[in-house]
Amino acid sequence: MAEITAEKIWDLWTAIQEKRPLVHCITNIVTVNDCANILLAAGASPTMAHHPLEAAEVTEGCSSLVCNLGATESFEAMVAAGKRAFELNHAVVVDPVGAAGSSFRRKLCFELLHQITPSCIRGNLSEIKALATDSSTASGVDAAKEDMLCGGALEETAELVRRFAEERRTIIAASGETDLVSDGKNVYAVHNGSSMMAKITGSGCMESVLLGAFLSVENTLESAAASCGVMGICGELARHRTREVRGGTGTYRIQLIDAVSLLRKAQVKELQRVEKIF
Amino acid sequence: MAEITAEKIWDLWTAIQEKRPLVHCITNIVTVNDCANILLAAGASPTMAHHPLEAAEVTEGCSSLVCNLGATESFEAMVAAGKRAFELNHAVVVDPVGAAGSSFRRKLCFELLHQITPSCIRGNLSEIKALATDSSTASGVDAAKEDMLCGGALEETAELVRRFAEERRTIIAASGETDLVSDGKNVYAVHNGSSMMAKITGSGCMESVLLGAFLSVENTLESAAASCGVMGICGELARHRTREVRGGTGTYRIQLIDAVSLLRKAQVKELQRVEKIF
Amino acid sequence: MAEITAEKIWDLWTAIQEKRPLVHCITNIVTVNDCANILLAAGASPTMAHHPLEAAEVTEGCSSLVCNLGATESFEAMVAAGKRAFELNHAVVVDPVGAAGSSFRRKLCFELLHQITPSCIRGNLSEIKALATDSSTASGVDAAKEDMLCGGALEETAELVRRFAEERRTIIAASGETDLVSDGKNVYAVHNGSSMMAKITGSGCMESVLLGAFLSVENTLESAAASCGVMGICGELARHRTREVRGGTGTYRIQLIDAVSLLRKAQVKELQRVEKIF
């Protein structure tokens, strides 16, 4: 496997614009609008059908599926859509939002993973740790402070993510100051991103649906890492622009969608810091 | 019936500001916030009550009702509110979102149309065609490419829309590059709008609730066409302003609401292209 | 009890930034995203868990709870979370949104108040009056025109709010042109705010979750009044900035979140008009 280059990231990005993949999102009420808008900004197309009686049929017309555990009320639809997506060989992303602070959500997540086979599980590091150890690691939906990764612990954490990916036979994407993405063998560290992303709701949920778009054009570890890279790059571009206009977090949220819809190859080349660490 | 003039459109617009109609929206989780905000921007007032035990009572205090089939979980509330609205002679708009790609949603829509009598059905052309033929015409919630109307097929499509309006004894508004609006006799073509509207979620849903506001002040074909004209004009104004600030789709979404809240008569005069084609 | 000073307001504000309280919101689909974003903008952290089987556990990890009656479908979760929050001595805010125009929602609200003990009930004046008299006072979710308070009726209305607070043994915050906040003994009048706040959806809901943050650092009448003051100040700052850029209501909504995330002590000092009236 080659290192990810800006060329490769841009090829995947262009493939999304060309294919215009329809991404079926079963996701929570808090950020569902942002999820739809980021997919459109990326050149993909969202559909949000969560009725158990239509979830499987809707998935048939789509290219990938994203199940966000924040939609606790739509568990049945996730199972129906997930099973059909598997039969059709669609990429499936599971986002265990809130798993760090709710045993009910962990139970729901394990039950979902028992019934469907995701291509990728994406959460913040506290959520990934909570699943790996089946125990609470944080309250609420944000990562615990100690899980906001810095230099020293990076290798150790990367190995934890790799082992969990190996155990689950799927790609794991653990978001944080540095995102760690592994398929159980290799691990990518994505150094892109901005602390502003944690100051708006939905950064994680949007990252998950963007993964749905990337994996629908190429269902590989490289593609998952590229997706996290693009999200991080756009997070940086949005911070830059928000500072320019002296905006706050409201402006930042808008600039993040703008950055996705206006992304240029030169920006990817200049900013990408997606590194294969083992 | 006279051609629609900018004067007529502005009179209806002013009537909305004066009456401040309360529009009862039973609508989907994806775009419900945008729907509320566009109604407020237009000088109307939204209320979003979807509990089956309060839907009818809430409708009593309102001027019109909008049922968006994206809210599959609120079907019972739509029936209860729709029946009460009919008794009270309120305008009722039905938006069959997703009907193009889900047989379940078409079934739900036909069942709703069996139980309630809308003043207007508004969807994109793929959705309208799917209802007219009871078959899938597209995946997801966006119009199929071939349904993005251009010159040649316009008359043929207008006739399809007219016949469906005649059959259903209601106004049909089919959105696309050109919107087609018919009451079964006459057809208006609305040439306003921008391709940017398809790059954000909610343009269609917002058009439906705006129709709820227009039809509450005058429940006619002319009023429906005027509503589509205003939405399209605001879509153009928002594109213009977004380009000025070199914004992306996030900015466009904000500018669209801004354009509605800041609409001036001179803009309607300059931009409106609402044409009676037969 | 001392008058509220800008120093006091700022101390509470700083305490939120330092404690970063996790606020559990069980709230409606219309404005849930705005509620999450304003809490993040204020330095607090939101979590929105509404499944009855996890509501109590999630509340355990939080500092306060906000129950918004717009989430009619989540009544069971409100009761479960509210009981646990009471045991843990957490601040609980109830927002009776829509109580003015729906007897069902008033019934739901009374049932909730029978089962849980809030620290504060916050609604617009029409909603508070509807609860105080158990009768309809307005349609929809906005305050009736006559309840948009002006000079003359202020003392009379303040006494109504005080009596209702005394009766319910809780803090009542009634929003309007002037907010009135009482614990049954004293009453604060908050003269901050902007009429633009009524031109976007969610101002009231956001005020309720902000109260959740303030009361989690100090559960007092003073803290509730300070919260209303901060919300009003940010409403004014957002109007000012929106005018500067000639924006409409879409821009205003973004500027409101920006104002919260960028609030400075000097702005509180200059603008605060929180007055103890008896």
Side-chain angles (χ1 to χ4, degrees):
Chain A
M1 187 187 309
E3 287 291 318
I4 294 185
T5 60
E7 287 295 336
K8 173 67 183 173
I9 296 176
W10 194 253
D11 284 350
L12 290 164
W13 189 247
T14 312
I16 293 171
Q17 326 275 308
E18 277 163 14
K19 186 180 179 182
R20 297 193 58 73
L22 191 54
V23 181
H24 184 190
C25 306
I26 303 178
T27 192
N28 67 74
I29 57 170
V30 187
T31 65
V32 58
N33 183 276
D34 294 322
C35 287
N37 276 318
I38 202 169
L39 283 173
L40 287 162
S45 194
T47 190
M48 270 78 180
H50 54 260
H51 198 288
L53 295 179
E54 69 174 342
E57 182 189 359
V58 167
T59 275
E60 284 174 23
C62 294
S63 298
S64 60
L65 170 70
V66 181
C67 296
N68 181 305
L69 265 294
T72 45
E73 66 281 9
S74 300
F75 182 75
E76 207 185 327
M78 292 183 201
V79 172
K83 287 185 171 175
R84 193 80 192 93
F86 183 71
E87 289 166 8
L88 296 165
N89 208 22
H90 292 177
V92 177
V93 178
V94 169
D95 184 332
V97 61
S102 158
S103 61
F104 171 75
R105 246 181 244 194
R106 281 197 297 281
K107 203 181 136 198
L108 214 61
C109 187
F110 289 129
E111 175 65 19
L112 186 65
L113 296 178
H114 183 68
Q115 298 211 39
I116 75 169
T117 308
S119 318
C120 176
I121 302 173
R122 192 221 65 85
N124 63 44
L125 186 57
S126 294
E127 286 157 359
I128 297 301
K129 279 188 179 175
L131 290 181
T133 60
D134 194 9
S135 59
S136 280
T137 54
S139 296
V141 294
D142 298 320
K145 247 181 213 160
E146 63 273 22
D147 291 335
M148 304 274 204
L149 279 197
C150 40
L154 188 63
E155 273 201 27
E156 194 183 333
T157 311
E159 175 56 18
L160 179 149
V161 170
R162 192 201 60 71
R163 273 201 314 270
F164 188 50
E166 189 178 41
E167 182 191 321
R168 285 283 161 187
R169 295 181 188 193
T170 187
I171 296 170
I172 301 292
S175 304
E177 201 182 299
T178 296
D179 297 340
L180 293 166
V181 192
S182 177
D183 61 355
K185 283 183 222 150
N186 298 110
V187 182
Y188 280 94
V190 182
H191 301 290
N192 291 109
S194 157
S195 60
M196 285 292 280
M197 296 170 84
K199 298 295 286 174
I200 59 168
T201 192
S203 295
C205 302
M206 287 189 268
E207 207 159 325
S208 291
V209 299
L210 198 61
L211 271 163
F214 269 88
L215 297 183
S216 79
V217 296
E218 185 187 302
N219 196 345
T220 62
L221 174 62
E222 219 174 358
S223 179
S227 180
C228 295
V230 164
M231 189 72 193
I233 289 165
C234 292
E236 293 171 30
L237 292 166
R239 183 198 52 191
H240 184 69
R241 181 88 181 114
T242 300
R243 280 187 185 164
E244 267 181 7
V245 298
R246 296 165 185 267
T249 57
T251 294
Y252 182 76
R253 176 172 166 242
I254 303 307
Q255 292 295 340
L256 184 59
I257 302 283
D258 272 14
V260 174
S261 74
L262 300 170
L263 188 64
R264 295 195 318 272
K265 190 174 177 179
Q267 295 170 325
V268 176
K269 270 194 176 165
E270 187 195 335
L271 297 173
Q272 77 103 353
R273 294 172 62 207
V274 182
E275 181 197 9
K276 191 174 171 187
I277 55 172
F278 52 86
Chain B
M1 188 186 308
E3 286 292 319
I4 293 185
T5 60
E7 287 294 337
K8 174 66 183 174
I9 296 176
W10 194 252
D11 284 351
L12 290 164
W13 189 248
T14 312
I16 293 172
Q17 326 275 307
E18 277 163 13
K19 186 181 178 180
R20 296 194 58 75
L22 191 55
V23 181
H24 185 190
C25 306
I26 302 178
T27 192
N28 67 74
I29 58 169
V30 188
T31 64
V32 58
N33 183 276
D34 294 322
C35 288
N37 275 319
I38 203 169
L39 283 172
L40 286 163
S45 194
T47 190
M48 269 78 180
H50 55 261
H51 198 289
L53 295 179
E54 70 173 341
E57 181 189 0
V58 167
T59 275
E60 285 174 23
C62 295
S63 298
S64 60
L65 170 69
V66 181
C67 296
N68 180 305
L69 265 295
T72 45
E73 66 282 7
S74 300
F75 182 74
E76 207 186 326
M78 292 184 200
V79 172
K83 288 185 170 176
R84 194 79 193 97
F86 183 71
E87 288 165 9
L88 296 166
N89 208 24
H90 292 179
V92 177
V93 178
V94 169
D95 184 333
V97 61
S102 158
S103 62
F104 171 76
R105 246 181 246 196
R106 283 197 296 282
K107 204 181 135 199
L108 213 62
C109 188
F110 289 130
E111 176 64 21
L112 185 66
L113 296 178
H114 182 69
Q115 297 213 39
I116 75 169
T117 309
S119 319
C120 177
I121 302 173
R122 192 221 66 84
N124 63 45
L125 186 58
S126 293
E127 286 157 359
I128 296 301
K129 279 187 178 174
L131 290 180
T133 61
D134 194 9
S135 58
S136 278
T137 54
S139 296
V141 294
D142 298 320
K145 247 180 213 161
E146 65 272 21
D147 290 336
M148 304 273 203
L149 279 197
C150 41
L154 188 64
E155 275 202 26
E156 193 184 333
T157 311
E159 175 56 16
L160 179 150
V161 170
R162 192 202 59 71
R163 274 202 314 270
F164 188 50
E166 190 178 40
E167 182 191 320
R168 286 281 163 188
R169 296 181 186 191
T170 186
I171 297 170
I172 301 290
S175 304
E177 200 180 300
T178 296
D179 297 340
L180 293 165
V181 193
S182 177
D183 62 355
K185 284 182 222 151
N186 299 108
V187 183
Y188 280 94
V190 182
H191 301 290
N192 291 109
S194 157
S195 60
M196 284 292 280
M197 296 169 85
K199 298 295 286 173
I200 59 167
T201 192
S203 294
C205 302
M206 287 190 267
E207 206 158 326
S208 290
V209 298
L210 198 61
L211 271 162
F214 269 87
L215 297 183
S216 78
V217 297
E218 186 187 300
N219 196 346
T220 63
L221 173 63
E222 219 175 359
S223 179
S227 180
C228 295
V230 164
M231 189 72 192
I233 289 165
C234 292
E236 293 171 29
L237 292 166
R239 184 197 50 191
H240 183 70
R241 181 87 180 114
T242 300
R243 279 187 185 165
E244 267 182 6
V245 299
R246 297 164 185 265
T249 57
T251 295
Y252 183 75
R253 176 173 167 241
I254 303 307
Q255 292 295 340
L256 184 58
I257 302 283
D258 271 13
V260 174
S261 73
L262 299 170
L263 189 65
R264 295 194 317 271
K265 190 174 179 179
Q267 296 170 325
V268 175
K269 270 194 176 164
E270 187 195 334
L271 297 172
Q272 77 104 349
R273 294 173 61 208
V274 183
E275 182 198 9
K276 191 174 173 186
I277 55 173
F278 53 87
Chain C
M1 190 187 305
E3 287 290 319
I4 293 185
T5 59
E7 288 293 338
K8 174 67 183 174
I9 295 176
W10 194 252
D11 284 350
L12 290 164
W13 189 248
T14 312
I16 293 172
Q17 326 274 308
E18 278 164 12
K19 184 180 181 182
R20 297 193 57 74
L22 191 56
V23 181
H24 185 190
C25 306
I26 302 177
T27 191
N28 67 74
I29 57 169
V30 188
T31 65
V32 58
N33 182 276
D34 294 324
C35 287
N37 275 318
I38 203 169
L39 283 173
L40 286 163
S45 193
T47 191
M48 270 77 180
H50 55 260
H51 198 289
L53 295 179
E54 69 173 343
E57 182 190 359
V58 167
T59 276
E60 286 174 23
C62 295
S63 297
S64 60
L65 171 71
V66 180
C67 296
N68 181 304
L69 265 296
T72 45
E73 67 281 8
S74 300
F75 182 75
E76 206 186 325
M78 292 183 200
V79 172
K83 287 185 170 176
R84 193 81 192 93
F86 183 71
E87 288 166 9
L88 296 166
N89 209 23
H90 292 177
V92 178
V93 178
V94 169
D95 184 332
V97 60
S102 158
S103 62
F104 171 76
R105 246 182 245 195
R106 282 197 296 281
K107 205 182 134 197
L108 214 61
C109 188
F110 288 131
E111 175 65 18
L112 185 66
L113 296 177
H114 183 68
Q115 297 213 40
I116 75 169
T117 310
S119 319
C120 177
I121 301 172
R122 193 222 65 86
N124 64 44
L125 186 58
S126 293
E127 286 157 359
I128 296 301
K129 278 187 178 174
L131 291 180
T133 60
D134 194 8
S135 58
S136 279
T137 54
S139 295
V141 294
D142 298 321
K145 246 180 214 162
E146 64 271 23
D147 291 335
M148 304 271 203
L149 280 197
C150 41
L154 188 62
E155 274 202 25
E156 195 183 331
T157 311
E159 175 57 16
L160 178 149
V161 170
R162 193 202 59 73
R163 273 201 313 269
F164 188 50
E166 188 177 42
E167 183 191 320
R168 285 281 163 186
R169 296 181 188 192
T170 187
I171 296 170
I172 301 292
S175 304
E177 201 181 300
T178 296
D179 298 339
L180 294 165
V181 192
S182 177
D183 61 356
K185 285 182 220 151
N186 300 108
V187 183
Y188 280 94
V190 181
H191 301 290
N192 292 108
S194 157
S195 60
M196 284 291 280
M197 295 170 84
K199 298 295 285 174
I200 59 167
T201 192
S203 295
C205 302
M206 287 190 268
E207 206 158 324
S208 291
V209 298
L210 198 60
L211 272 163
F214 269 88
L215 298 183
S216 78
V217 297
E218 187 188 301
N219 196 345
T220 63
L221 174 62
E222 219 175 359
S223 178
S227 180
C228 296
V230 164
M231 188 73 192
I233 288 166
C234 291
E236 293 171 30
L237 291 167
R239 183 197 52 193
H240 183 70
R241 180 87 180 116
T242 299
R243 280 187 185 164
E244 267 182 4
V245 298
R246 297 164 183 266
T249 56
T251 295
Y252 183 76
R253 175 173 167 244
I254 303 306
Q255 292 295 340
L256 184 57
I257 302 283
D258 271 13
V260 174
S261 73
L262 299 170
L263 188 65
R264 294 195 318 272
K265 190 173 177 180
Q267 295 169 325
V268 176
K269 270 194 175 165
E270 187 195 334
L271 297 172
Q272 77 104 352
R273 294 174 61 208
V274 183
E275 181 197 11
K276 191 173 172 187
I277 56 173
F278 54 85

